[in-house]
Amino acid sequence: MSGAERPEEAAAAAGGPGRSLGPSVASPDEGVVEDLPLIDEKAVEQLTEGLISHYLPDLQRSKSALQELTQNQVVLLETLEQEISKFKECNSILEINALFSEAKHYHNKLVNIRNEMMMIHEKTSKLKKRALKLQQKRQKEELEREQQREKELEREKQLTAKPAKRT
């Protein structure tokens, strides 16, 4: 390349004719057409096409790779959400199992309490029957004692001396 093409490359790289390379390179005389060499529009177009053709395949590959990565990330996120829902489901199943085991425990307690209440009822029924029999027996014994006392009193009255009536 010749020295005349170099400013054109710089102008093409900067984004077009008449533009500076950056804020640090800008001069106070910027915009003055006299300072710039004449730029061939066809050369700028060819340089732009060359630059684009050089970087475009890589950019397109990068774009497709990014799209594929994004799709993979979406798939991964969906998979993670499914796994999270499975873990939540497992936790809820564990909680349900815990509730069932707790219910079984309390059911066993209720069955034991019911059995104890039935035993206590049977014992109290037997004790009531026994108490009634004992009460009847005591009343019978008291009646017999009372009758025995009355007999003894009657016998004593009969045995006591009676004064004879004087006639």
Side-chain angles (χ1 to χ4, degrees):
M1 284 189 173
S2 68
E5 289 180 30
R6 294 213 184 265
E8 291 174 2
E9 287 178 13
R19 293 201 179 159
S20 65
L21 294 177
S24 61
V25 181
S27 70
D29 295 331
E30 184 178 319
V32 178
V33 180
E34 300 168 3
D35 293 343
L36 294 176
L38 293 176
I39 300 172
D40 184 18
E41 292 292 325
K42 188 176 180 184
V44 170
E45 235 179 84
Q46 289 176 350
L47 286 171
T48 304
E49 287 177 13
L51 183 67
I52 289 174
S53 66
H54 179 72
Y55 288 109
L56 190 61
D58 289 338
L59 291 174
Q60 287 175 340
R61 279 193 300 270
S62 297
K63 181 180 178 182
S64 64
L66 284 173
Q67 286 175 344
E68 183 181 345
L69 180 63
T70 304
Q71 289 174 350
N72 289 341
Q73 284 178 338
V74 168
V75 169
L76 182 62
L77 285 174
E78 290 173 357
T79 306
L80 283 175
E81 287 175 4
Q82 290 173 356
E83 292 299 318
I84 288 170
S85 66
K86 285 180 185 178
F87 280 121
K88 286 180 181 176
E89 188 177 308
C90 286
N91 284 340
S92 64
I93 288 173
L94 290 175
E95 290 172 3
I96 289 171
N97 287 339
L99 286 175
F100 275 119
S101 66
E102 189 175 357
K104 184 178 179 182
H105 173 73
Y106 285 117
H107 178 264
N108 288 337
K109 277 188 167 186
L110 286 173
V111 167
N112 289 339
I113 290 171
R114 192 183 91 204
N115 290 339
E116 287 179 17
M117 289 179 68
M118 289 175 59
M119 283 183 4
I120 290 171
H121 177 70
E122 289 175 9
K123 286 181 181 180
T124 55
S125 296
K126 287 179 184 178
L127 285 174
K128 283 180 183 178
K129 287 179 185 177
R130 186 175 173 201
L132 183 62
K133 286 181 183 178
L134 285 174
Q135 186 179 9
Q136 289 174 349
K137 185 178 176 182
R138 283 185 192 146
Q139 286 176 350
K140 187 177 177 183
E141 286 176 357
E142 285 181 19
L143 184 62
E144 287 176 1
R145 279 191 220 130
E146 189 64 37
Q147 288 174 353
Q148 185 68 25
R149 252 190 253 137
E150 285 181 9
K151 284 182 185 177
E152 285 179 15
L153 283 176
E154 192 64 37
R155 193 170 169 206
E156 280 183 23
K157 283 185 184 177
Q158 288 177 1
L159 289 178
T160 53
K162 295 183 186 175
K165 290 187 180 177
R166 291 187 197 174
T167 43

